[in-house]
Every structure is written in C-alpha cells, then in structure tokens.
Amino acid sequence: MIRLENLRLGYGPRLLVEQASATLPAGSLTALLGRNGSGKSTLLRALIGQEKPQAGSIRLNGQPLSRLTPETMARTVAFVNTERVRVANLRCKDVVALGRAPYTNWIGRMQAQDETVVYQALEQTGMTDYAERTMDRMSDGECQRIMIARALAQQTPIILLDEPTSFLDLPNRYGLGKLLAQLAHEQNKCIFFSTHELDIALSLCDAVALIDRPVLHYRPTADLIQSGLLDKVFGDSLRLNGNLSVNGNGDLSPKPIAR
C-alpha cells in the first residue's frame, strides 16, 4: 500500500504537486497520468526516496518512508525505469537474479531458494525460454518483461514503473499492461506506473492518479472518465488519439483494443 498525506513536491518556487493525499491499496494497478513536465517522474522518485518532499509524508506498507532503512526499502519497493538495457553477454536469468540482492548472503551468493524465485519470476512473465539468452539479442518488449521479472524476484509488495510501455508497439503495450494488471490482482501487489498511453490506462487500470498541476486527482478509473478531468488536462489531444472516443453522453472512453 502507498499512502500520500498532504504531499508537496517542487523545485524551489516551481510547484508540481500540493496537498496531495491518496491511498493506493494492495492488489491494485494504478496509472499516473499528466502532461509533460507535470511531475510524474518526480513523484515516482519521491516514492523511492530520491526526491525529498517540501511538505507532507509518504507511507509504504504503513511505514513512514523517511524511517525505512536501505535494506527495508529494498524489500518494500521495486523500481523499473524506462531505460533500455542492452548489455552484451548478460544473460536474462542473471539480470533477474539481481533482484535477489536484498536477500543473498554477505558475499552475494545465490542459494537454492533464490534460484527458485528467479525461475518463478521468469515463468510469471512468460520469459522462461529466454533465461539463457543475452539482453543484447532481444526486442524492447522482451527486455521490459525481463526487467519486470527482476522486480518480481525482489519480492516486494510495491512495484513502481516509469513509462514501462515506451518504445513498444501497440500489441506489446497492451500485453505489458495486461501482465501488470494480472500481477497486481493475482499476487496482491500495489503496482503504480507512469504513462502517456491513455487507452492502456483507461482500459486496464483499477484507478488513475492524474496530475493537474498542482493538484493530484486520484479516482477509480470509471469515475475519472466521467469526471471531465481528462478533457480539462489534455484537451484536444484526446480527440486526436485514435484509441479514445466520445460516447453518446459526451464522456471519453477507450475504444476496444484488438487482442
């Protein structure tokens, strides 16, 4: 669970988010939306302790973020950024094994139970057959699944992702979104990801956190669609998105995505 209490984020006089309060429960998939420069990445960095709030507090699994030790933090939150991983001769199973770092012994040696967790993570992301393949010989979508497998191997109750669908085509974007929803619901994880893909967010997520500087709106997806906030924040760009439509009541809704 993630809880924000009267959170304020910004850089000097530039205010991004003010008095933001929200509770993201376990077992849910939440999308973080907002225009470029609205503070999405800053909020995610704040949740992993890389940005200090100007005011307010963050709680992770009931514990104040400010009091978590690095070891406890590593067992509470896994973070997947948007950077491509293309390291020659680095096997997929070795990348996933990095997620076991908070649990290995003092010399970092993998035990039998760690190996089991790694292969379970590969299986959960559909990447078992890629275990021996090197990262420089894989597609962007395959690499992103491996990075999610690494986060699963970390066995944290919270997973954060910054633009996980970047560089992916539509089928892979939707497939990745479905995977995140499945992991959240079946493993009772709190998964929170930033995205520009409104169609994915509105069709697959349980809730949406929308930054309309400096306000953070957090609502169930259906409520947000009906609220008119998307139209207020994104305006005409919504009508230019081929995967969104306006229904008979004038409300925005995602078009069905071909599976």
Side-chain angles (χ1 to χ4, degrees):
M1 180 180 69
I2 299 171
R3 176 168 293 171
L4 312 178
E5 298 175 344
N6 298 316
L7 188 69
R8 184 169 72 210
L9 297 172
Y11 301 100
R14 184 168 181 253
L15 191 61
L16 297 174
V17 173
E18 183 176 30
Q19 293 186 329
S21 295
T23 299
L24 284 62
S28 67
L29 178 65
T30 302
L32 176 60
L33 301 178
R35 299 187 71 91
N36 288 335
S38 61
K40 298 188 298 296
S41 294
T42 300
L43 175 56
L44 291 178
R45 288 196 300 271
L47 292 176
I48 58 174
Q50 291 186 357
E51 291 286 345
K52 187 176 180 180
Q54 294 181 343
S57 64
I58 298 170
R59 287 181 170 269
L60 304 178
N61 263 25
Q63 299 297 316
L65 172 61
S66 59
R67 297 182 185 176
L68 295 180
T69 65
E71 180 182 1
T72 303
M73 188 70 177
R75 297 187 180 206
T76 303
V77 182
F79 180 65
V80 180
N81 62 30
T82 191
E83 295 179 3
R84 303 185 188 191
V85 176
R86 287 289 188 275
V87 181
N89 301 320
L90 186 62
R91 296 175 301 177
C92 291
K93 70 177 184 181
D94 296 328
V95 174
V96 178
L98 294 174
R100 298 306 298 160
Y103 307 95
T104 53
N105 58 32
W106 66 276
I107 58 174
R109 180 173 295 170
M110 295 272 287
Q111 305 297 319
Q113 62 267 30
D114 297 307
E115 298 281 357
T116 298
V117 171
V118 167
Y119 278 94
Q120 286 176 342
L122 287 166
E123 182 178 6
Q124 289 162 357
T125 52
M127 299 302 289
T128 304
D129 293 341
Y130 294 75
E132 299 294 335
R133 188 175 298 188
T134 56
M135 295 289 285
D136 58 324
R137 297 188 176 185
M138 295 170 58
S139 70
D140 290 333
E142 292 164 347
C143 286
Q144 196 66 302
R145 281 178 175 261
I146 290 297
M147 301 311 292
I148 292 173
R150 185 191 67 174
L152 288 176
Q154 202 171 328
Q155 291 188 312
T156 60
I158 299 170
I159 299 178
L160 306 176
L161 306 97
D162 192 5
E163 299 284 352
T165 57
S166 295
F167 314 118
L168 304 184
D169 58 17
L170 180 59
N172 278 312
R173 292 201 306 267
Y174 185 72
L176 187 60
K178 282 191 68 177
L179 172 63
L180 294 177
Q182 179 182 355
L183 294 172
H185 300 153
E186 294 183 0
Q187 298 192 25
N188 200 41
K189 293 183 181 292
C190 176
I191 301 182
F192 189 34
F193 72 103
S194 64
T195 184
H196 288 288
E197 311 291 346
L198 297 180
D199 49 336
I200 301 297
L202 301 183
S203 62
L204 294 175
C205 292
D206 302 294
V208 173
L210 174 65
I211 298 179
D212 179 15
R213 285 181 53 194
V215 179
L216 177 71
H217 302 278
Y218 172 72
R219 299 191 183 186
T221 305
D223 290 353
L224 187 79
I225 291 172
Q226 298 288 336
S227 69
L229 287 168
L230 289 169
D231 198 26
K232 176 178 180 291
V233 172
F234 296 106
D236 291 341
S237 62
L238 290 171
R239 271 68 182 182
L240 298 177
N241 187 323
N243 294 312
L244 292 174
S245 62
V246 182
N247 63 28
N249 297 321
D251 300 317
L252 291 162
S253 60
K255 292 181 178 179
I257 301 176
R259 292 167 169 76

mmCIF file of all heavy atoms in Angstrom, residues 14-62:
data_model
loop_
_atom_site.group_PDB
_atom_site.id
_atom_site.type_symbol
_atom_site.label_atom_id
_atom_site.label_comp_id
_atom_site.label_asym_id
_atom_site.label_seq_id
_atom_site.Cartn_x
_atom_site.Cartn_y
_atom_site.Cartn_z
ATOM 1 N N ARG A 14 9.020 26.536 -8.065
ATOM 2 C CA ARG A 14 8.226 25.799 -9.062
ATOM 3 C C ARG A 14 7.491 24.646 -8.375
ATOM 4 O O ARG A 14 8.080 23.647 -8.008
ATOM 5 C CB ARG A 14 9.114 25.266 -10.176
ATOM 6 C CG ARG A 14 8.340 24.567 -11.286
ATOM 7 C CD ARG A 14 9.232 24.318 -12.485
ATOM 8 N NE ARG A 14 8.506 23.668 -13.560
ATOM 9 C CZ ARG A 14 8.661 22.393 -13.898
ATOM 10 N NH1 ARG A 14 9.541 21.640 -13.275
ATOM 11 N NH2 ARG A 14 7.968 21.865 -14.887
ATOM 12 N N LEU A 15 6.188 24.806 -8.212
ATOM 13 C CA LEU A 15 5.372 23.833 -7.505
ATOM 14 C C LEU A 15 4.799 22.826 -8.492
ATOM 15 O O LEU A 15 4.207 23.193 -9.510
ATOM 16 C CB LEU A 15 4.235 24.539 -6.768
ATOM 17 C CG LEU A 15 3.429 23.720 -5.770
ATOM 18 C CD1 LEU A 15 4.325 23.207 -4.653
ATOM 19 C CD2 LEU A 15 2.299 24.579 -5.201
ATOM 20 N N LEU A 16 4.972 21.538 -8.200
ATOM 21 C CA LEU A 16 4.445 20.472 -9.055
ATOM 22 C C LEU A 16 3.180 19.858 -8.475
ATOM 23 O O LEU A 16 2.180 19.685 -9.177
ATOM 24 C CB LEU A 16 5.508 19.380 -9.253
ATOM 25 C CG LEU A 16 6.785 19.807 -9.970
ATOM 26 C CD1 LEU A 16 7.802 18.676 -9.973
ATOM 27 C CD2 LEU A 16 6.486 20.268 -11.393
ATOM 28 N N VAL A 17 3.235 19.502 -7.202
ATOM 29 C CA VAL A 17 2.104 18.870 -6.525
ATOM 30 C C VAL A 17 1.961 19.497 -5.149
ATOM 31 O O VAL A 17 2.953 19.710 -4.451
ATOM 32 C CB VAL A 17 2.319 17.339 -6.389
ATOM 33 C CG1 VAL A 17 1.221 16.720 -5.540
ATOM 34 C CG2 VAL A 17 2.364 16.671 -7.754
ATOM 35 N N GLU A 18 0.728 19.805 -4.756
ATOM 36 C CA GLU A 18 0.499 20.427 -3.447
ATOM 37 C C GLU A 18 -0.683 19.758 -2.764
ATOM 38 O O GLU A 18 -1.714 19.466 -3.395
ATOM 39 C CB GLU A 18 0.229 21.920 -3.599
ATOM 40 C CG GLU A 18 0.066 22.640 -2.273
ATOM 41 C CD GLU A 18 -0.097 24.137 -2.445
ATOM 42 O OE1 GLU A 18 -0.627 24.561 -3.484
ATOM 43 O OE2 GLU A 18 0.314 24.872 -1.531
ATOM 44 N N GLN A 19 -0.524 19.477 -1.470
ATOM 45 C CA GLN A 19 -1.570 18.890 -0.618
ATOM 46 C C GLN A 19 -2.177 17.638 -1.259
ATOM 47 O O GLN A 19 -3.390 17.446 -1.246
ATOM 48 C CB GLN A 19 -2.666 19.926 -0.331
ATOM 49 C CG GLN A 19 -2.166 21.080 0.533
ATOM 50 C CD GLN A 19 -3.285 22.031 0.926
ATOM 51 O OE1 GLN A 19 -4.253 22.207 0.185
ATOM 52 N NE2 GLN A 19 -3.137 22.654 2.088
ATOM 53 N N ALA A 20 -1.301 16.776 -1.779
ATOM 54 C CA ALA A 20 -1.764 15.544 -2.410
ATOM 55 C C ALA A 20 -1.958 14.463 -1.354
ATOM 56 O O ALA A 20 -1.049 14.157 -0.583
ATOM 57 C CB ALA A 20 -0.758 15.069 -3.454
ATOM 58 N N SER A 21 -3.151 13.901 -1.325
ATOM 59 C CA SER A 21 -3.453 12.809 -0.408
ATOM 60 C C SER A 21 -4.146 11.700 -1.183
ATOM 61 O O SER A 21 -5.083 11.958 -1.946
ATOM 62 C CB SER A 21 -4.348 13.282 0.747
ATOM 63 O OG SER A 21 -3.678 14.232 1.553
ATOM 64 N N ALA A 22 -3.672 10.481 -1.001
ATOM 65 C CA ALA A 22 -4.250 9.336 -1.700
ATOM 66 C C ALA A 22 -3.767 8.063 -1.039
ATOM 67 O O ALA A 22 -2.691 8.033 -0.440
ATOM 68 C CB ALA A 22 -3.871 9.342 -3.181
ATOM 69 N N THR A 23 -4.569 7.004 -1.153
ATOM 70 C CA THR A 23 -4.177 5.692 -0.666
ATOM 71 C C THR A 23 -4.334 4.687 -1.794
ATOM 72 O O THR A 23 -5.439 4.466 -2.291
ATOM 73 C CB THR A 23 -5.031 5.248 0.535
ATOM 74 O OG1 THR A 23 -4.858 6.178 1.608
ATOM 75 C CG2 THR A 23 -4.618 3.858 1.002
ATOM 76 N N LEU A 24 -3.219 4.112 -2.221
ATOM 77 C CA LEU A 24 -3.211 3.105 -3.278
ATOM 78 C C LEU A 24 -3.115 1.749 -2.599
ATOM 79 O O LEU A 24 -2.087 1.418 -1.997
ATOM 80 C CB LEU A 24 -2.026 3.295 -4.223
ATOM 81 C CG LEU A 24 -2.101 4.444 -5.250
ATOM 82 C CD1 LEU A 24 -2.194 5.801 -4.580
ATOM 83 C CD2 LEU A 24 -0.894 4.403 -6.177
ATOM 84 N N PRO A 25 -4.169 0.931 -2.667
ATOM 85 C CA PRO A 25 -4.176 -0.314 -1.894
ATOM 86 C C PRO A 25 -3.407 -1.440 -2.566
ATOM 87 O O PRO A 25 -3.073 -1.376 -3.759
ATOM 88 C CB PRO A 25 -5.672 -0.650 -1.830
ATOM 89 C CG PRO A 25 -6.223 -0.092 -3.117
ATOM 90 C CD PRO A 25 -5.435 1.174 -3.367
ATOM 91 N N ALA A 26 -3.135 -2.473 -1.784
ATOM 92 C CA ALA A 26 -2.569 -3.692 -2.338
ATOM 93 C C ALA A 26 -3.588 -4.328 -3.288
ATOM 94 O O ALA A 26 -4.794 -4.115 -3.157
ATOM 95 C CB ALA A 26 -2.218 -4.662 -1.214
ATOM 96 N N GLY A 27 -3.092 -5.074 -4.264
ATOM 97 C CA GLY A 27 -3.973 -5.748 -5.205
ATOM 98 C C GLY A 27 -4.554 -4.831 -6.256
ATOM 99 O O GLY A 27 -5.595 -5.141 -6.844
ATOM 100 N N SER A 28 -3.905 -3.685 -6.516
ATOM 101 C CA SER A 28 -4.451 -2.729 -7.480
ATOM 102 C C SER A 28 -3.392 -2.267 -8.459
ATOM 103 O O SER A 28 -2.198 -2.208 -8.136
ATOM 104 C CB SER A 28 -5.030 -1.507 -6.753
ATOM 105 O OG SER A 28 -4.001 -0.763 -6.122
ATOM 106 N N LEU A 29 -3.842 -1.931 -9.672
ATOM 107 C CA LEU A 29 -2.993 -1.337 -10.704
ATOM 108 C C LEU A 29 -3.447 0.092 -10.920
ATOM 109 O O LEU A 29 -4.620 0.334 -11.238
ATOM 110 C CB LEU A 29 -3.105 -2.132 -12.008
ATOM 111 C CG LEU A 29 -2.297 -1.588 -13.198
ATOM 112 C CD1 LEU A 29 -0.800 -1.668 -12.911
ATOM 113 C CD2 LEU A 29 -2.644 -2.354 -14.479
ATOM 114 N N THR A 30 -2.534 1.035 -10.746
ATOM 115 C CA THR A 30 -2.865 2.455 -10.864
ATOM 116 C C THR A 30 -1.939 3.112 -11.863
ATOM 117 O O THR A 30 -0.720 2.933 -11.815
ATOM 118 C CB THR A 30 -2.725 3.164 -9.500
ATOM 119 O OG1 THR A 30 -3.570 2.528 -8.548
ATOM 120 C CG2 THR A 30 -3.114 4.633 -9.616
ATOM 121 N N ALA A 31 -2.519 3.890 -12.773
ATOM 122 C CA ALA A 31 -1.741 4.649 -13.754
ATOM 123 C C ALA A 31 -1.557 6.075 -13.270
ATOM 124 O O ALA A 31 -2.466 6.672 -12.683
ATOM 125 C CB ALA A 31 -2.443 4.648 -15.105
ATOM 126 N N LEU A 32 -0.388 6.622 -13.538
ATOM 127 C CA LEU A 32 -0.077 8.021 -13.223
ATOM 128 C C LEU A 32 -0.039 8.797 -14.529
ATOM 129 O O LEU A 32 0.811 8.547 -15.383
ATOM 130 C CB LEU A 32 1.260 8.109 -12.497
ATOM 131 C CG LEU A 32 1.791 9.502 -12.175
ATOM 132 C CD1 LEU A 32 0.825 10.261 -11.272
ATOM 133 C CD2 LEU A 32 3.164 9.406 -11.517
ATOM 134 N N LEU A 33 -0.982 9.724 -14.692
ATOM 135 C CA LEU A 33 -1.119 10.496 -15.922
ATOM 136 C C LEU A 33 -0.832 11.967 -15.663
ATOM 137 O O LEU A 33 -0.960 12.462 -14.540
ATOM 138 C CB LEU A 33 -2.533 10.357 -16.488
ATOM 139 C CG LEU A 33 -3.031 8.952 -16.837
ATOM 140 C CD1 LEU A 33 -4.474 9.023 -17.327
ATOM 141 C CD2 LEU A 33 -2.144 8.309 -17.890
ATOM 142 N N GLY A 34 -0.492 12.665 -16.731
ATOM 143 C CA GLY A 34 -0.259 14.103 -16.655
ATOM 144 C C GLY A 34 0.487 14.558 -17.889
ATOM 145 O O GLY A 34 1.096 13.755 -18.596
ATOM 146 N N ARG A 35 0.428 15.836 -18.153
ATOM 147 C CA ARG A 35 1.138 16.380 -19.302
ATOM 148 C C ARG A 35 2.648 16.330 -19.056
ATOM 149 O O ARG A 35 3.105 16.173 -17.925
ATOM 150 C CB ARG A 35 0.680 17.818 -19.583
ATOM 151 C CG ARG A 35 -0.802 17.947 -19.907
ATOM 152 C CD ARG A 35 -1.152 19.357 -20.333
ATOM 153 N NE ARG A 35 -0.623 19.654 -21.649
ATOM 154 C CZ ARG A 35 -1.292 19.460 -22.784
ATOM 155 N NH1 ARG A 35 -2.504 18.947 -22.766
ATOM 156 N NH2 ARG A 35 -0.749 19.770 -23.946
ATOM 157 N N ASN A 36 3.422 16.487 -20.114
ATOM 158 C CA ASN A 36 4.874 16.534 -19.976
ATOM 159 C C ASN A 36 5.272 17.646 -19.006
ATOM 160 O O ASN A 36 4.762 18.767 -19.080
ATOM 161 C CB ASN A 36 5.538 16.786 -21.331
ATOM 162 C CG ASN A 36 5.459 15.586 -22.244
ATOM 163 O OD1 ASN A 36 5.340 14.455 -21.789
ATOM 164 N ND2 ASN A 36 5.521 15.826 -23.544
ATOM 165 N N GLY A 37 6.181 17.321 -18.082
ATOM 166 C CA GLY A 37 6.645 18.309 -17.124
ATOM 167 C C GLY A 37 5.729 18.523 -15.938
ATOM 168 O O GLY A 37 5.967 19.431 -15.131
ATOM 169 N N SER A 38 4.709 17.687 -15.805
ATOM 170 C CA SER A 38 3.752 17.882 -14.716
ATOM 171 C C SER A 38 4.256 17.338 -13.389
ATOM 172 O O SER A 38 3.706 17.665 -12.325
ATOM 173 C CB SER A 38 2.408 17.233 -15.061
ATOM 174 O OG SER A 38 2.566 15.830 -15.247
ATOM 175 N N GLY A 39 5.276 16.486 -13.418
ATOM 176 C CA GLY A 39 5.831 15.976 -12.168
ATOM 177 C C GLY A 39 5.661 14.480 -11.968
ATOM 178 O O GLY A 39 5.867 13.982 -10.851
ATOM 179 N N LYS A 40 5.335 13.737 -13.016
ATOM 180 C CA LYS A 40 5.125 12.289 -12.860
ATOM 181 C C LYS A 40 6.390 11.585 -12.387
ATOM 182 O O LYS A 40 6.373 10.826 -11.417
ATOM 183 C CB LYS A 40 4.635 11.675 -14.193
ATOM 184 C CG LYS A 40 3.311 12.218 -14.689
ATOM 185 C CD LYS A 40 2.794 11.447 -15.884
ATOM 186 C CE LYS A 40 3.713 11.525 -17.090
ATOM 187 N NZ LYS A 40 3.856 12.889 -17.620
ATOM 188 N N SER A 41 7.496 11.829 -13.074
ATOM 189 C CA SER A 41 8.748 11.175 -12.680
ATOM 190 C C SER A 41 9.217 11.657 -11.316
ATOM 191 O O SER A 41 9.786 10.886 -10.529
ATOM 192 C CB SER A 41 9.835 11.421 -13.733
ATOM 193 O OG SER A 41 9.503 10.788 -14.959
ATOM 194 N N THR A 42 8.986 12.925 -11.012
ATOM 195 C CA THR A 42 9.364 13.454 -9.698
ATOM 196 C C THR A 42 8.601 12.739 -8.594
ATOM 197 O O THR A 42 9.175 12.392 -7.550
ATOM 198 C CB THR A 42 9.085 14.966 -9.636
ATOM 199 O OG1 THR A 42 9.837 15.627 -10.653
ATOM 200 C CG2 THR A 42 9.473 15.533 -8.280
ATOM 201 N N LEU A 43 7.315 12.497 -8.809
ATOM 202 C CA LEU A 43 6.518 11.789 -7.807
ATOM 203 C C LEU A 43 7.038 10.367 -7.611
ATOM 204 O O LEU A 43 7.174 9.893 -6.476
ATOM 205 C CB LEU A 43 5.046 11.773 -8.226
ATOM 206 C CG LEU A 43 4.098 10.965 -7.332
ATOM 207 C CD1 LEU A 43 4.174 11.428 -5.885
ATOM 208 C CD2 LEU A 43 2.661 11.062 -7.850
ATOM 209 N N LEU A 44 7.350 9.672 -8.702
ATOM 210 C CA LEU A 44 7.879 8.312 -8.571
ATOM 211 C C LEU A 44 9.213 8.313 -7.840
ATOM 212 O O LEU A 44 9.479 7.441 -6.998
ATOM 213 C CB LEU A 44 8.023 7.666 -9.951
ATOM 214 C CG LEU A 44 6.721 7.328 -10.683
ATOM 215 C CD1 LEU A 44 7.023 6.742 -12.053
ATOM 216 C CD2 LEU A 44 5.873 6.351 -9.874
ATOM 217 N N ARG A 45 10.067 9.292 -8.153
ATOM 218 C CA ARG A 45 11.357 9.365 -7.452
ATOM 219 C C ARG A 45 11.154 9.647 -5.967
ATOM 220 O O ARG A 45 11.907 9.158 -5.123
ATOM 221 C CB ARG A 45 12.251 10.432 -8.085
ATOM 222 C CG ARG A 45 12.805 10.036 -9.451
ATOM 223 C CD ARG A 45 13.973 10.918 -9.846
ATOM 224 N NE ARG A 45 13.615 12.325 -9.941
ATOM 225 C CZ ARG A 45 13.168 12.903 -11.040
ATOM 226 N NH1 ARG A 45 13.038 12.203 -12.158
ATOM 227 N NH2 ARG A 45 12.861 14.198 -11.047
ATOM 228 N N ALA A 46 10.143 10.438 -5.641
ATOM 229 C CA ALA A 46 9.855 10.703 -4.231
ATOM 230 C C ALA A 46 9.447 9.421 -3.507
ATOM 231 O O ALA A 46 9.782 9.227 -2.335
ATOM 232 C CB ALA A 46 8.748 11.753 -4.107
ATOM 233 N N LEU A 47 8.753 8.545 -4.212
ATOM 234 C CA LEU A 47 8.294 7.304 -3.594
ATOM 235 C C LEU A 47 9.425 6.327 -3.323
ATOM 236 O O LEU A 47 9.258 5.391 -2.527
ATOM 237 C CB LEU A 47 7.234 6.637 -4.485
ATOM 238 C CG LEU A 47 5.903 7.379 -4.614
ATOM 239 C CD1 LEU A 47 4.992 6.670 -5.603
ATOM 240 C CD2 LEU A 47 5.225 7.510 -3.264
ATOM 241 N N ILE A 48 10.566 6.510 -3.985
ATOM 242 C CA ILE A 48 11.713 5.649 -3.699
ATOM 243 C C ILE A 48 12.802 6.410 -2.941
ATOM 244 O O ILE A 48 13.924 5.931 -2.823
ATOM 245 C CB ILE A 48 12.286 5.017 -4.985
ATOM 246 C CG1 ILE A 48 12.712 6.091 -6.000
ATOM 247 C CG2 ILE A 48 11.284 4.066 -5.607
ATOM 248 C CD1 ILE A 48 13.424 5.520 -7.224
ATOM 249 N N GLY A 49 12.465 7.596 -2.462
ATOM 250 C CA GLY A 49 13.383 8.339 -1.617
ATOM 251 C C GLY A 49 14.435 9.140 -2.346
ATOM 252 O O GLY A 49 15.377 9.644 -1.724
ATOM 253 N N GLN A 50 14.287 9.314 -3.648
ATOM 254 C CA GLN A 50 15.277 10.072 -4.419
ATOM 255 C C GLN A 50 14.905 11.546 -4.574
ATOM 256 O O GLN A 50 15.706 12.321 -5.074
ATOM 257 C CB GLN A 50 15.477 9.431 -5.799
ATOM 258 C CG GLN A 50 16.160 8.084 -5.749
ATOM 259 C CD GLN A 50 16.476 7.522 -7.116
ATOM 260 O OE1 GLN A 50 16.132 8.108 -8.141
ATOM 261 N NE2 GLN A 50 17.127 6.384 -7.153
ATOM 262 N N GLU A 51 13.714 11.920 -4.167
ATOM 263 C CA GLU A 51 13.292 13.318 -4.134
ATOM 264 C C GLU A 51 12.694 13.587 -2.760
ATOM 265 O O GLU A 51 11.857 12.818 -2.282
ATOM 266 C CB GLU A 51 12.251 13.612 -5.219
ATOM 267 C CG GLU A 51 12.767 13.565 -6.639
ATOM 268 C CD GLU A 51 13.626 14.767 -6.998
ATOM 269 O OE1 GLU A 51 13.580 15.762 -6.255
ATOM 270 O OE2 GLU A 51 14.325 14.692 -8.019
ATOM 271 N N LYS A 52 13.127 14.654 -2.139
ATOM 272 C CA LYS A 52 12.616 14.981 -0.813
ATOM 273 C C LYS A 52 11.397 15.886 -0.918
ATOM 274 O O LYS A 52 11.457 16.949 -1.536
ATOM 275 C CB LYS A 52 13.700 15.672 0.009
ATOM 276 C CG LYS A 52 13.301 15.898 1.466
ATOM 277 C CD LYS A 52 14.444 16.492 2.261
ATOM 278 C CE LYS A 52 14.038 16.710 3.718
ATOM 279 N NZ LYS A 52 15.154 17.288 4.516
ATOM 280 N N PRO A 53 10.265 15.493 -0.343
ATOM 281 C CA PRO A 53 9.082 16.354 -0.373
ATOM 282 C C PRO A 53 9.321 17.675 0.339
ATOM 283 O O PRO A 53 10.071 17.740 1.321
ATOM 284 C CB PRO A 53 8.018 15.515 0.356
ATOM 285 C CG PRO A 53 8.508 14.109 0.291
ATOM 286 C CD PRO A 53 10.004 14.204 0.323
ATOM 287 N N GLN A 54 8.694 18.714 -0.159
ATOM 288 C CA GLN A 54 8.765 20.002 0.517
ATOM 289 C C GLN A 54 7.880 20.015 1.757
ATOM 290 O O GLN A 54 8.123 20.779 2.692
ATOM 291 C CB GLN A 54 8.346 21.112 -0.440
ATOM 292 C CG GLN A 54 9.307 21.312 -1.607
ATOM 293 C CD GLN A 54 8.867 22.440 -2.525
ATOM 294 O OE1 GLN A 54 7.718 22.875 -2.501
ATOM 295 N NE2 GLN A 54 9.782 22.917 -3.349
ATOM 296 N N ALA A 55 6.854 19.181 1.746
ATOM 297 C CA ALA A 55 5.946 19.068 2.892
ATOM 298 C C ALA A 55 5.170 17.760 2.750
ATOM 299 O O ALA A 55 5.161 17.137 1.692
ATOM 300 C CB ALA A 55 4.986 20.255 2.953
ATOM 301 N N GLY A 56 4.523 17.363 3.843
ATOM 302 C CA GLY A 56 3.721 16.155 3.816
ATOM 303 C C GLY A 56 4.550 14.903 4.037
ATOM 304 O O GLY A 56 5.732 14.964 4.372
ATOM 305 N N SER A 57 3.907 13.743 3.842
ATOM 306 C CA SER A 57 4.587 12.490 4.126
ATOM 307 C C SER A 57 4.159 11.393 3.165
ATOM 308 O O SER A 57 3.117 11.480 2.512
ATOM 309 C CB SER A 57 4.306 12.041 5.569
ATOM 310 O OG SER A 57 2.923 11.758 5.730
ATOM 311 N N ILE A 58 4.999 10.366 3.102
ATOM 312 C CA ILE A 58 4.747 9.178 2.288
ATOM 313 C C ILE A 58 4.874 7.965 3.190
ATOM 314 O O ILE A 58 5.857 7.835 3.939
ATOM 315 C CB ILE A 58 5.760 9.067 1.131
ATOM 316 C CG1 ILE A 58 5.635 10.262 0.191
ATOM 317 C CG2 ILE A 58 5.564 7.754 0.365
ATOM 318 C CD1 ILE A 58 6.758 10.342 -0.838
ATOM 319 N N ARG A 59 3.896 7.082 3.116
ATOM 320 C CA ARG A 59 3.956 5.822 3.855
ATOM 321 C C ARG A 59 3.929 4.661 2.871
ATOM 322 O O ARG A 59 3.121 4.656 1.941
ATOM 323 C CB ARG A 59 2.774 5.700 4.833
ATOM 324 C CG ARG A 59 2.890 6.597 6.048
ATOM 325 C CD ARG A 59 1.709 6.421 7.000
ATOM 326 N NE ARG A 59 1.941 7.094 8.257
ATOM 327 C CZ ARG A 59 2.497 6.534 9.315
ATOM 328 N NH1 ARG A 59 2.862 5.280 9.251
ATOM 329 N NH2 ARG A 59 2.671 7.205 10.428
ATOM 330 N N LEU A 60 4.786 3.706 3.092
ATOM 331 C CA LEU A 60 4.845 2.499 2.277
ATOM 332 C C LEU A 60 4.570 1.303 3.179
ATOM 333 O O LEU A 60 5.311 1.072 4.147
ATOM 334 C CB LEU A 60 6.214 2.361 1.613
ATOM 335 C CG LEU A 60 6.668 3.545 0.750
ATOM 336 C CD1 LEU A 60 8.072 3.286 0.206
ATOM 337 C CD2 LEU A 60 5.693 3.785 -0.408
ATOM 338 N N ASN A 61 3.486 0.591 2.867
ATOM 339 C CA ASN A 61 3.082 -0.549 3.710
ATOM 340 C C ASN A 61 2.942 -0.145 5.177
ATOM 341 O O ASN A 61 3.326 -0.887 6.083
ATOM 342 C CB ASN A 61 4.068 -1.708 3.578
ATOM 343 C CG ASN A 61 3.558 -2.737 2.578
ATOM 344 O OD1 ASN A 61 2.776 -2.419 1.683
ATOM 345 N ND2 ASN A 61 4.022 -3.964 2.718
ATOM 346 N N GLY A 62 2.428 1.047 5.393
ATOM 347 C CA GLY A 62 2.156 1.519 6.741
ATOM 348 C C GLY A 62 3.329 2.162 7.444
ATOM 349 O O GLY A 62 3.159 2.725 8.530
#
